[in-house]
Amino acid sequence: MAALFGDTFDHGNIVLKWTATGGTLSLPTGRFGTTGLHMVTGAGSDGFVRKTLASTYTTLVAGVAYMPPTGLSLYECTILGFNDQSGGNNEQVSVRFRGSDSKLIVSRAVT
């Protein structure tokens, strides 16, 4: 196993390491006094960052530090997702936060 990618966001430039970004993003002070990524969610304006990796991996292990949003109890937001790029960038696995009941949802192919 080898480390493929990592980002602490301490570099202060979101597009430096990511293949695509969207929505409203900012780099406020994180939980240890360094920079963290803030992705604004809700009402169709979900922020995201996306990284393209080679399609030759059969197993990927990922980790993330996450703080649930406040004041958005009706929304569901994706925290982490893995997509394939064959025929339309299809989602394979995602981890989402559902605000209505404060649950983490892990799903395959958005089910």
Side-chain angles (χ1 to χ4, degrees):
M1 184 185 313
L4 301 176
F5 177 75
D7 195 352
T8 62
F9 297 99
D10 284 339
H11 48 76
N13 184 348
I14 297 171
V15 297
L16 183 66
K17 294 184 175 185
W18 295 89
T19 308
T21 63
T24 304
L25 305 171
S26 63
L27 294 171
T29 302
R31 57 193 176 139
F32 297 117
T34 58
T35 307
L37 175 64
H38 179 234
M39 298 185 289
V40 176
T41 60
S45 64
D46 292 353
F48 70 89
V49 291
R50 183 173 293 133
K51 179 69 174 174
T52 301
L53 300 172
S55 61
T56 57
Y57 305 107
T58 57
T59 302
L60 288 173
V61 177
V64 61
Y66 177 73
M67 183 176 76
T70 57
L72 295 173
S73 62
L74 300 177
Y75 298 107
E76 185 173 301
C77 56
T78 300
I79 301 167
L80 181 66
F82 292 100
N83 298 0
D84 70 26
Q85 294 186 346
S86 61
N89 207 20
N90 301 311
E91 181 178 282
Q92 293 298 306
V93 176
S94 69
V95 178
R96 299 184 312 279
F97 175 77
R98 186 171 57 208
S100 61
D101 56 5
S102 297
K103 298 224 177 183
L104 282 177
I105 303 160
V106 179
S107 63
R108 174 154 168 68
V110 196
T111 57

